[in-house]
Amino acid sequence: MTRLSPRTALRRTAGGLAVAGLLAAGSLAGGAPAQADGPAFTLGGPAETALHPYPETGTPQKSSLGLTVHNPDPDPESTGYEGEVTYTLDLGGIAGIAELSPAQDTGADCEITGDTAVCHDHGVHAGLSSVADFDLAAAKGSKDGASGTIEVTGSADGVAFTPFAAKVTIGGPDLVMKQLPFEQRLRPGDLQPAPITFTNKGTTAADGVLLTLMYSRGLDIPERYANCEYSGEAGEEPFEGFVWATALCSVPGSYEPGATYTLAAPLSVEATDRAYHDTFVYRIDEDGAAQRSAQRAGAPFTRGTGPELALRKVTASARSADLDPRDNQQEADFRTENTANFVAVGSETVGAAGETVTVDIGFRNDGPAWIGNLRSGEPVAAFDFTVPEGAVVTGKPDSCQGVTAEGKYREDRTGAPRYVCDTSMTVRDGAEVSYPFELKITAVVPGAEGAVRIRDPWLSDPGLPFDPKPADNTAQLVLNGGDSGSANTGGTSEGTTGTGSTEGGAGGDTGGQGTQTSGTPGTPSASGTSGNTGASGSASTDTGGGLASTGSVALTASAAGAVALAAGGVLYATTRRRAQRV
């Protein structure tokens, strides 16, 4: 019997581009769900996993198998299913063909006994999450070309599961993407070639290939090839609430083992006027209906009308012993010389003593750049609000933490003199972010003002490094002002409609009670990015709740391990940061 150790909290949900690679192998589901009165969850993973043949000497090389479960709960604030869950893997179909073993730092508690693996877990988050990770290797005596199937089922009280079948094959193509030497320091308008190149290091030819290109909001691929499908411009309809766009290019042909292929003519990657910190992901897989379906993930795509994207053979070499689906993908990070003007938006209101009023304050991004910490997953900025004299906060967004008047840690978060709200990890150009506060007027103080400020999450260094106009980072909330409009209440509401802000830790000095959040842009790395939409709601006296903002897309997650979701290659950002009770 083999026991798998419990997964760490950072791997509770399927993360970023790693999941994109996992799902790129095929369909998420198979079969019909078991009947139950409650919700139906879908089990998934790679439709097929190819293994290197058993070697004449030494130990067999391992391939990874990651299993997922999708909870279609549409409520963005839902905590998901909270009961006990059991997942069962029937390994009888791969007996004598492959052997399953626990992957290092893997998922839920699992026991493997004979031809059965049983995994126990508690709860299923809304959206896509990880079940467990395994290693697969060819069994001794297995033959090249042999295949079998792992049947995966799930059970939980009041829940139905759609089973999943994972095919395992000995031998096959292994498409390895070459990393391109991009210039990573750019200016808006810079255009550079992307001569996509890959090698088949497997044992058999690939019957057609699918090139997947994912690019964040500040980038564009100007070409629109006839054999490519496009999800639309990054950040625009139907992707207004997201920061990724995707291109799927099918190129038919036989791609031989040991051969290297490149684009007949390089495509282009352009830094647009809204570029700042951006990521480009390029991936190659064997083509097929299941592959394309998994990458589309139900999203609408439009076929290009230009010339066809073509490939040509570059070299042929000795076959490699590498069969590793993790090397199908490469990523590049870009930093563009650009700015974004964040404008604080205050308000004015009146009320009598004892009356409770609701005020909407916040900020907007006048661009031209969008700002996103895709790698670090940290907030872009902090919203800082000082409560006017003669009022006390009775309702606030969940994303806002009460602090002392100096911005330091405060044990009692209610009735605080000052509140700090971390923004999401991305703020789109044209975005408006609103924070609703409920204020009880304890005494009428004519013209009472409270500062409204958008700043860096580090209180010790509050300037926003990307903002060329710090003067409009501060506005005022005015209570019972004498001359309407005479106070500096900041910018007026402008911008596009979108989805909103999320919770995070307070950006003030935590005074030893925790670590201070840093919102400085993440540095480029080879790890994946990811995304999810921001929490929405209204201020309340019990749970708070973040008001939906227009255009702040909360993509939690990253190399640091925060959770994110990549639905196929489209990177639909559908999980949310959970609102913290404060």
Side-chain angles (χ1 to χ4, degrees):
M1 178 179 72
T2 304
R3 173 174 287 273
L4 309 188
S5 62
R7 86 185 101 207
T8 62
L10 294 180
R11 300 193 59 173
R12 286 299 303 252
T13 44
L17 300 179
V19 178
L22 172 68
L23 301 184
S27 174
L28 292 178
Q35 296 300 312
D37 294 334
F41 298 161
T42 301
L43 297 168
E48 183 172 3
T49 301
L51 307 180
H52 187 270
Y54 197 89
E56 293 182 4
T57 59
T59 58
Q61 185 172 334
K62 296 177 180 180
S63 292
S64 60
L65 173 67
L67 300 177
T68 61
V69 59
H70 181 255
N71 177 355
D73 189 342
D75 182 1
E77 299 304 313
S78 171
T79 57
Y81 177 78
E82 297 184 333
E84 298 297 324
V85 185
T86 300
Y87 304 100
T88 302
L89 284 67
D90 182 354
L91 309 178
I94 62 170
I97 298 172
E99 294 181 352
L100 185 82
S101 61
Q104 186 177 7
D105 188 24
T106 188
D109 279 334
C110 298
E111 294 180 357
I112 304 175
T113 306
D115 289 339
T116 303
V118 179
C119 303
H120 299 281
D121 202 357
H122 180 84
V124 179
H125 293 296
L128 189 71
S129 56
S130 175
V131 171
D133 297 324
F134 300 94
D135 286 334
L136 278 169
K140 187 175 183 179
S142 59
K143 303 297 183 182
D144 195 359
S147 65
T149 300
I150 299 174
E151 303 290 343
V152 186
T153 56
S155 62
D157 289 342
V159 176
F161 284 86
T162 300
F164 176 71
K167 185 179 180 180
V168 179
T169 302
I170 306 300
D174 179 21
L175 306 179
V176 179
M177 182 67 80
K178 177 183 177 181
Q179 187 171 16
L180 298 177
F182 285 114
E183 175 60 48
Q184 294 180 292
R185 298 281 181 173
L186 306 176
R187 293 184 177 182
D190 282 356
L191 192 72
Q192 56 183 320
I196 303 293
T197 302
F198 67 92
T199 300
N200 183 357
K201 294 186 177 182
T203 62
T204 62
D207 184 12
V209 292
L210 180 68
L211 175 64
T212 300
L213 308 172
M214 296 178 284
Y215 43 104
S216 60
R217 181 172 176 82
L219 301 177
D220 190 24
I221 298 175
E223 298 88 359
R224 289 294 183 264
Y225 298 102
N227 54 333
C228 297
E229 299 175 289
Y230 298 86
S231 65
E233 300 298 330
E236 296 184 3
E237 294 289 359
F239 297 93
E240 188 172 282
F242 308 97
V243 298
W244 293 96
T246 303
L248 303 176
C249 303
S250 295
V251 187
S254 179
Y255 297 88
E256 303 167 358
T260 297
Y261 300 85
T262 191
L263 295 180
L267 56 83
S268 304
V269 178
E270 180 183 12
T272 69
D273 290 342
R274 58 181 174 238
Y276 190 63
H277 289 177
D278 290 279
T279 298
F280 175 57
V281 181
Y282 45 111
R283 179 180 180 84
I284 194 74
D285 293 282
E286 188 172 20
D287 199 9
Q291 180 67 261
R292 292 190 297 273
S293 177
Q295 294 287 48
R296 291 189 189 105
F301 278 73
T302 303
R303 185 167 294 276
T305 58
E308 288 207 353
L309 184 75
L311 292 163
R312 60 182 178 87
K313 184 187 292 188
V314 179
T315 61
S317 60
R319 294 183 181 180
S320 169
D322 180 22
L323 276 163
D324 186 355
R326 291 168 293 188
D327 55 18
N328 292 42
Q329 180 173 298
Q330 296 287 351
E331 304 164 27
D333 290 324
F334 302 98
R335 291 192 174 193
T336 302
E337 186 178 314
N338 208 351
T339 61
N341 182 24
F342 278 21
V343 180
V345 178
S347 184
E348 292 184 80
T349 191
V350 295
E355 184 180 352
T356 297
V357 297
T358 299
V359 295
D360 285 315
I361 51 180
F363 72 97
R364 70 171 188 267
N365 178 9
D366 280 353
W370 81 291
I371 304 296
N373 292 332
L374 296 177
R375 293 298 189 190
S376 69
E378 294 179 350
V380 164
F383 180 75
D384 196 327
F385 167 49
T386 299
V387 181
E389 183 183 359
V392 63
V393 171
T394 58
K396 65 176 185 60
D398 280 352
S399 59
C400 302
Q401 310 287 332
V403 296
T404 67
E406 296 76 26
K408 296 183 180 297
Y409 177 81
R410 174 185 168 98
E411 188 70 32
D412 183 3
R413 300 299 180 92
T414 60
R418 184 174 174 182
Y419 288 83
V420 177
C421 320
D422 275 350
T423 70
S424 64
M425 64 172 282
T426 67
V427 177
R428 295 189 292 111
D429 50 298
E432 292 184 351
V433 183
S434 179
Y435 298 94
F437 281 84
E438 291 180 1
L439 303 178
K440 182 177 181 179
I441 299 176
T442 57
V444 174
V445 179
E449 295 184 355
V452 172
R453 186 181 186 192
I454 185 68
R455 59 169 175 81
D456 190 271
W458 289 101
L459 184 58
S460 59
D461 187 16
L464 295 170
F466 48 80
D467 195 332
K469 299 179 180 179
D472 58 16
N473 292 161
T474 302
Q476 300 293 326
L477 169 64
V478 182
L479 295 182
N480 293 307
D483 297 325
S484 178
S486 61
N488 173 25
T489 56
T492 57
S493 295
E494 297 175 357
T496 58
T497 302
T499 55
S501 61
T502 62
E503 64 87 21
D509 184 347
T510 57
Q513 299 297 321
T515 58
Q516 191 176 30
T517 303
S518 170
T520 53
T523 56
S525 69
S527 58
T529 59
S530 58
N532 71 349
T533 57
S536 62
S538 58
S540 64
T541 55
D542 53 350
T543 63
L547 180 70
S549 67
T550 57
S552 173
V553 184
L555 293 177
T556 57
S558 72
V563 296
L565 168 63
V570 185
L571 286 180
Y572 258 88
T574 55
T575 57
R576 297 176 182 249
R577 278 185 171 178
R578 302 301 171 195
Q580 182 178 356
R581 308 287 184 178
V582 293

